[in-house]
Amino acid sequence: MNIILLGPPGAGKGTQARHLVENRDMIQLSTGDMLREAKDSGTEMGKVVADVMARGALVTDEIVIGLIREKLEGDKKGGFIFDGFPRTLEQADALAALLEERGEKLDAVLAMAVKDEALISRITARSTCGTCGEVYNDHTKPWPADGSCVSCDTPEVKRRADDTEEALRTRLTEYYKKTSMLMGYYYAKGDLVWIDGMAEMEDVQAEIAAALDA
């Protein structure tokens, strides 16, 4: 099963992706993670990525599609979660063409709906483990009192410098500009499924599971 996770910053895409990886043996394809992995891989594609990043240039759609193609050629396990890609209609077309070329298909596009004010409240209180990426929240899931992450037992807690209200409103505006057309694109194809991102984490997991099982 191949799915796309759409949602604004802080909607909980990372948390839900990890749950799918753990419970459905899926493979999360995060653009940022793939670029970092490729840069250090030493492969031909990795050398291209390293050169682009060293020059501070923008990574092209062709490079990202090339990285995704490499992943599709490997072990598929329970399928792929596309996280952070596509972001534009051109990228959506490129991904569709690649999946068709590989004899694959897109099964669902899960769009997580969360109110802006809730997102801002959620993200400004957010911190993560610098080792394993476990997400914490000052109000709902504070960093453990003993100072160590519950998942990997390391003490490295991080906060993003741009997790401020002003920066978040800018990021949200940019997100809506880029993804509004994607919503229509996938709705027209019959792939779009809205998920209530305001619900409790377990309820969101259950809603996603019901959508995928359907």
Side-chain angles (χ1 to χ4, degrees):
M1 179 170 286
N2 300 313
I3 67 171
I4 293 173
L5 277 181
L6 290 179
K13 299 186 300 298
T15 298
Q16 296 303 327
R18 281 197 298 275
H19 182 264
L20 292 172
V21 169
E22 293 169 2
N23 291 273
R24 293 183 180 245
D25 199 29
M26 299 182 76
I27 300 171
Q28 182 182 8
L29 298 184
S30 165
T31 305
D33 291 343
M34 284 194 297
L35 290 171
R36 285 186 289 272
E37 179 185 327
K39 181 174 69 71
D40 300 325
S41 68
T43 64
E44 289 304 313
M45 181 61 74
K47 292 174 183 176
V48 172
V49 172
D51 176 65
V52 170
M53 296 178 76
R55 290 186 283 109
L58 291 175
V59 176
T60 64
D61 290 352
E62 288 76 13
I63 289 175
V64 177
I65 284 293
L67 294 175
I68 293 174
R69 178 180 282 107
E70 287 185 348
K71 295 294 185 181
L72 293 179
E73 291 172 351
D75 184 3
K76 295 179 176 58
K77 293 189 176 181
F80 295 96
I81 306 165
F82 297 99
D83 178 10
F85 189 91
R87 293 180 183 272
T88 65
L89 292 179
E90 291 77 11
Q91 290 177 353
D93 283 337
L95 178 59
L98 175 60
L99 289 172
E100 184 177 0
E101 170 195 321
R102 301 295 306 169
E104 299 280 346
K105 66 183 180 70
L106 189 63
D107 294 285
V109 178
L110 306 180
M112 299 182 66
V114 184
K115 294 178 180 177
D116 286 359
E117 296 307 317
L119 284 173
I120 291 168
S121 175
R122 181 185 293 179
I123 295 178
T124 52
R126 180 175 66 180
S127 61
T128 59
C129 174
T131 300
C132 72
E134 182 76 21
V135 180
Y136 295 88
N137 182 285
D138 294 343
H139 309 302
T140 60
K141 184 183 175 183
W143 184 256
D146 65 2
S148 296
C149 174
V150 295
S151 294
C152 66
D153 203 34
T154 59
E156 188 178 0
V157 60
K158 288 186 176 181
R159 289 185 186 272
R160 285 180 52 159
D162 59 349
D163 277 354
T164 64
E165 182 172 346
E166 182 180 1
L168 284 169
R169 290 192 184 279
T170 300
R171 285 160 59 192
L172 285 170
T173 299
E174 190 66 18
Y175 168 80
Y176 291 127
K177 282 181 181 178
K178 289 183 176 180
T179 59
S180 58
M181 289 184 290
L182 277 181
M183 300 293 188
Y185 177 95
Y186 286 117
Y187 176 80
K189 288 178 173 290
D191 295 328
L192 191 69
V193 179
W194 285 102
I195 301 296
D196 180 10
M198 297 288 294
E200 294 295 324
M201 183 175 65
E202 292 80 6
D203 294 332
V204 176
Q205 290 172 356
E207 191 173 349
I208 289 175
L212 297 185
D213 291 340

